[in-house]
Amino acid sequence: MAQVRLTGIAKAFGKVTALDAMDLVIDDGELVCLLGPSGSGKSTLLRVIGGFETPSEGTIAIDGVDVTHLPPERRPTAMVFQSHALWSHMTVHGNIAFGLKLRRLPRTEIRERVEKVLDLVGLAGYGARLPSQLSGGQQQRVALARSLVIEPKILLLDEPFASLDQHLRERLRDEVRDIQQRLGITAVFVTHGQDEALAISDRIVVLADGRMQQVGRPGEIYAEPKTAFVAGFIGAMNMLDGTLAEGEVVAGGLRLAAEGAGPARLAIRPEDIALTEPEDGRTVTVRRMIDFGSHVVIDSALADGTHLRIQTDKTIRVEAGERVGIHVEQWTVFRDGEAPSRYRSDTVRPFREVRRYA
Amino acid sequence: MTDLAPISPFDASPSAVARIARRAPVDWTGIAFLTGLAVVILLPLVVTAVWAFAEVWRFPAIVPQRMGLGYWQETLSRHDVWQALWLSLSITTTVTVISAAICFPAAYAFARLDFPGRNMLFLAFLSVQAFPKFGLIIATATIFLTLHLIGTFWGVVLIQLVGTLLYMIWIPVSAFQGVDRRLEEAARDVGASPMRVFWSITLPQALPTLFAAILITFVNTFYETDAAWLIGLPNVRTMPMVMISFINNALEVQYGAVLFVFLWVPSFLLMLAARRVMGADAFAKGFGG
């Protein structure tokens, strides 16, 4: 069992509060992503767990043992750094074996464990190379192997793939997820990439300004954001400022059913807007059509000029300047200090015949 | 629509390559700059080196009338030359070792520790070079006189130590600052204590630049003349002192030229070898590059 329990963790650098009163339990074998924009406190939180920063307040317990004031070398954690942090004066074998040598293991056991972990990360036979002789992806695998070989209870990953290209990043994150599940190790993964967080994690912790905004499963965070920040940060979202009155929310010329009164923010996912024929009165003007291959995104303008992104079927074709009707199928209304209200339309309306490329 | 097939540089035809080569502009400014530098730096060295092997070279001959190793035999058979060489090597090695022992820990402290007056102290170390060196030596000489250090081995060592502070503190400070903290954190993360991190990670990472500082200090100290002259003479005659006396007192310039080549070639080869082993970046990092 390897559980991490954070209780009331706060961290201040001078007058700047980096983390504020965080409570979180990460269960055994779970992969939790800390997701947030730059400066949200996600890396600081990871460094607090790893022992590189001491919290100003609160406690950290791993498997019920208080490790709040233990230095990194005495914690059962291992971190994979964004910059790989490989020691250039040591070979790949030397990098991975360093932690084992510190534990004074027999030479044969060290060699066996290094070879085993190199095999695990797909770098068998690379032991004699220097880090400078490896590609970025290979270097990151060595960094992962160096952390895994000491068999930590908690694996910490600080934006490990940020410096890699898109394809390699996707491949490596799948490999990391696979290895983490095979070993059953508890992992905390810091990223600012929402796709990465949605793809890899059991749970996501969304952070902003040093505070936890929401903790939940990826699908739950996407479908049911608890704050306007989470709604805007996770996935594409149309966020419109509006007003609630007489059972409606009015924003950017759109009128949708909603309870309450006063100022509000209307959130609509691009994929929750369907195209209809323009005669029902709720129309937009197409500004640009972006063909992603798997789907089409239409950048459109409402009557008052407010931009509205619409995601639709890959076979749909519209022209810039064309007026099309829209039908909002799901929407969420956020009001300060209140839980968000979610609405769904039952009506399904057909759109024109699909236009295909010749 | 026309399909455009891009030509890879590796597949380009020889004529295309030749055409590209012809079009390459000639950097005349660069060539002129390089030639000027070569003339200013290399010409005196070459002339002096030729003098070392010239037995007869009279005006207006462009090349020596007779070459030979006569002056080499005469110079290198002198007992005082070898005595001065060993003395210079002893002083230089002693100065470099003591300087490293004092300056490297100080440099680490300046680079990594946060203590009151850090910047002021760092500036104080470097400010030694801000004053006219000769004045500093004279002021020190008056103190050394009362301490009976004038004309002694340790007197020369002490005064030359002062001259090493700039390179042996400034360059190592940059070296230690240049070691990525995350490399050290990664070592602690896998279980290394702070002391182990220093020996296994920080020091090896900084070592090429520290070697550069040692090398520069060694060469500078070996050729140092002002302090050695004012503090060392008459008892302590280092190699550069002997060379100066040869040049000043001998009618033939060849004696001085022989010693010049004798001293310059090994240090030049040492610098070349060090640069090859350590890489140019070790020198650059030392100066904050």
Side-chain angles (χ1 to χ4, degrees):
Chain A
M1 181 183 157
Q3 186 202 57
V4 183
R5 181 180 290 274
L6 307 178
T7 312
I9 289 292
K11 176 69 185 172
F13 296 102
K15 290 179 181 174
V16 179
T17 302
L19 298 173
D20 194 11
M22 289 198 177
D23 295 304
L24 179 68
V25 176
I26 301 167
D27 288 323
D28 182 34
E30 196 179 22
L31 194 156
V32 168
C33 266
L34 304 180
L35 177 66
S38 297
S40 59
K42 54 191 189 299
S43 285
T44 306
L45 182 57
L46 196 77
R47 289 174 64 80
V48 164
I49 298 171
F52 298 108
E53 303 287 352
T54 309
S56 311
E57 286 173 36
T59 58
I60 307 156
I62 296 175
D63 280 350
V65 178
D66 189 344
V67 297
T68 314
H69 298 290
L70 285 185
E73 64 268 25
R74 292 180 57 199
R75 293 193 186 198
T77 56
M79 191 183 284
V80 180
F81 293 81
Q82 182 183 342
S83 60
H84 319 316
L86 296 181
W87 306 305
S88 56
H89 59 287
M90 293 184 196
T91 60
V92 168
H93 182 280
N95 268 274
I96 298 170
F98 185 70
L100 300 176
K101 285 178 186 167
L102 293 170
R103 285 160 179 76
R104 301 182 190 282
L105 296 180
R107 197 171 288 182
T108 48
E109 190 184 339
I110 290 175
R111 198 175 58 241
E112 279 169 18
R113 281 173 68 167
V114 170
E115 282 171 9
K116 197 174 159 191
V117 79
L118 276 174
D119 197 36
L120 182 72
V121 298
L123 285 178
Y126 281 71
R129 296 201 190 183
L130 286 168
S132 58
Q133 295 170 314
L134 304 178
S135 67
Q138 288 169 334
Q139 287 184 21
Q140 198 52 277
R141 284 167 203 244
V142 174
L144 180 64
R146 182 177 64 185
S147 296
L148 290 175
V149 79
I150 57 169
E151 295 176 354
K153 287 184 176 178
I154 317 291
L155 181 65
L156 308 171
L157 301 110
D158 189 6
E159 303 201 43
F161 313 131
S163 60
L164 307 177
D165 66 64
Q166 176 80 14
H167 287 291
L168 192 56
R169 197 160 59 221
E170 285 176 11
R171 207 175 75 208
L172 276 176
R173 84 177 179 214
D174 291 343
E175 285 179 18
V176 164
R177 178 60 162 158
D178 184 46
I179 290 168
Q180 181 263 334
Q181 285 185 325
R182 266 195 283 164
L183 299 177
I185 195 170
T186 308
V188 187
F189 192 110
V190 162
T191 180
H192 62 258
Q194 45 177 291
D195 291 344
E196 201 159 75
L198 292 169
I200 201 172
S201 49
D202 292 310
R203 278 192 304 155
I204 295 174
V205 178
V206 184
L207 296 161
D209 300 325
R211 291 168 185 268
M212 277 191 210
Q213 299 289 313
Q214 189 169 351
V215 183
R217 288 179 292 102
E220 181 188 328
I221 297 247
Y222 186 85
E224 295 171 11
K226 285 184 178 168
T227 66
F229 171 82
V230 176
F233 189 71
I234 305 286
M237 183 71 88
N238 294 293
M239 296 292 293
L240 310 176
D241 289 322
T243 311
L244 280 164
E246 297 169 1
E248 279 186 332
V249 58
V250 181
L254 274 179
R255 283 174 179 277
L256 295 166
E259 299 297 321
R265 299 200 80 193
L266 173 62
I268 310 167
R269 295 266 180 220
E271 67 268 27
D272 290 336
I273 303 171
L275 294 182
T276 66
E277 296 304 335
E279 53 265 25
D280 73 349
R282 195 175 287 159
T283 59
V284 292
T285 306
V286 175
R287 299 177 74 243
R288 196 160 67 104
M289 192 191 82
I290 309 156
D291 189 351
F292 284 96
S294 60
H295 61 275
V296 162
V297 169
I298 297 165
D299 179 17
S300 67
L302 289 160
D304 70 345
T306 306
H307 283 223
L308 197 68
R309 280 169 74 89
I310 302 163
Q311 183 180 320
T312 186
D313 191 273
K314 64 181 177 184
T315 54
I316 298 288
R317 290 291 173 270
V318 289
E319 301 293 333
E322 194 176 341
R323 282 169 62 81
V324 292
I326 57 164
H327 177 72
V328 182
E329 292 170 350
Q330 287 188 62
W331 62 98
T332 307
V333 175
F334 291 95
R335 296 184 66 202
D336 282 343
E338 288 184 18
S341 310
R342 300 180 210 287
Y343 301 91
R344 176 187 287 271
S345 165
D346 297 329
T347 321
V348 177
R349 301 175 189 208
F351 187 50
R352 69 178 67 152
E353 252 183 75
V354 165
R355 294 180 197 170
R356 295 178 187 278
Y357 280 125
Chain B
M1 189 178 157
T2 311
D3 287 333
L4 295 175
I7 301 171
S8 155
F10 302 106
D11 298 336
S13 65
S15 62
V17 172
R19 202 164 57 243
I20 292 164
R22 273 202 302 277
R23 281 179 193 166
V26 179
D27 186 0
W28 289 110
T29 316
I31 290 171
F33 194 64
L34 195 67
T35 310
L37 269 180
V39 167
V40 172
I41 295 171
L42 290 180
L43 196 63
L45 297 181
V46 171
V47 170
T48 315
V50 173
W51 263 117
F53 297 95
E55 291 191 347
V56 181
W57 193 4
R58 294 196 186 90
F59 184 81
I62 294 171
V63 291
Q65 282 94 343
R66 195 170 79 235
M67 303 279 280
L69 295 172
Y71 284 99
W72 280 83
Q73 283 171 345
E74 218 171 303
T75 308
L76 298 184
S77 62
R78 290 178 63 127
H79 177 66
D80 60 341
V81 167
W82 290 104
Q83 201 177 27
L85 179 67
W86 295 129
L87 181 66
S88 279
L89 285 174
S90 307
I91 289 175
T92 307
T93 308
T94 309
V95 167
T96 309
V97 168
I98 294 175
S99 181
I102 296 169
C103 296
F104 287 178
Y108 184 81
F110 283 129
R112 289 300 173 87
L113 307 181
D114 197 15
F115 53 89
R118 189 177 71 121
N119 291 340
M120 190 71 86
L121 203 58
F122 184 51
L123 202 66
F125 267 105
L126 301 188
S127 65
V128 172
Q129 300 292 325
F131 300 105
K133 197 179 165 193
F134 214 70
L136 186 77
I137 297 168
I138 297 220
T140 312
T142 56
I143 300 167
F144 278 15
L145 206 59
T146 56
L147 296 171
H148 306 293
L149 284 168
I150 295 292
T152 65
F153 176 88
W154 288 106
V156 176
V157 166
L158 282 175
I159 192 70
Q160 291 197 329
L161 262 177
V162 177
T164 65
L165 291 179
L166 179 74
Y167 293 122
M168 290 295 261
I169 293 217
W170 186 20
I171 295 176
V173 163
S174 292
F176 288 125
Q177 280 176 339
V179 176
D180 191 341
R181 289 287 183 106
R182 283 163 296 191
L183 296 180
E184 296 170 344
E185 288 180 348
R188 292 197 72 184
D189 197 48
V190 295
S193 64
M195 189 56 87
R196 181 65 191 255
V197 171
F198 177 79
W199 285 111
S200 298
I201 308 298
T202 314
L203 197 59
Q205 288 286 326
L207 215 50
T209 309
L210 296 183
F211 269 132
I214 286 174
L215 190 67
I216 291 171
T217 300
F218 191 91
V219 172
N220 272 353
T221 308
F222 192 85
Y223 293 119
E224 203 280 334
T225 51
D226 298 352
W229 179 57
L230 268 170
I231 304 291
L233 286 178
N235 304 330
V236 180
R237 289 182 82 224
T238 61
M239 196 66 179
M241 290 292 98
V242 172
M243 189 169 78
I244 288 170
S245 70
F246 274 25
I247 293 165
N248 287 342
N249 304 332
L251 288 174
E252 287 100 344
V253 294
Q254 283 90 332
Y255 291 112
V258 165
L259 281 185
F260 165 80
V261 175
F262 186 64
L263 293 180
W264 175 73
V265 170
S267 64
F268 180 69
L269 292 178
L270 188 67
M271 287 290 256
L272 277 186
R275 199 175 183 278
R276 197 172 180 80
V277 172
M278 296 187 287
D281 60 330
F283 287 88
K285 275 180 192 168
F287 292 99

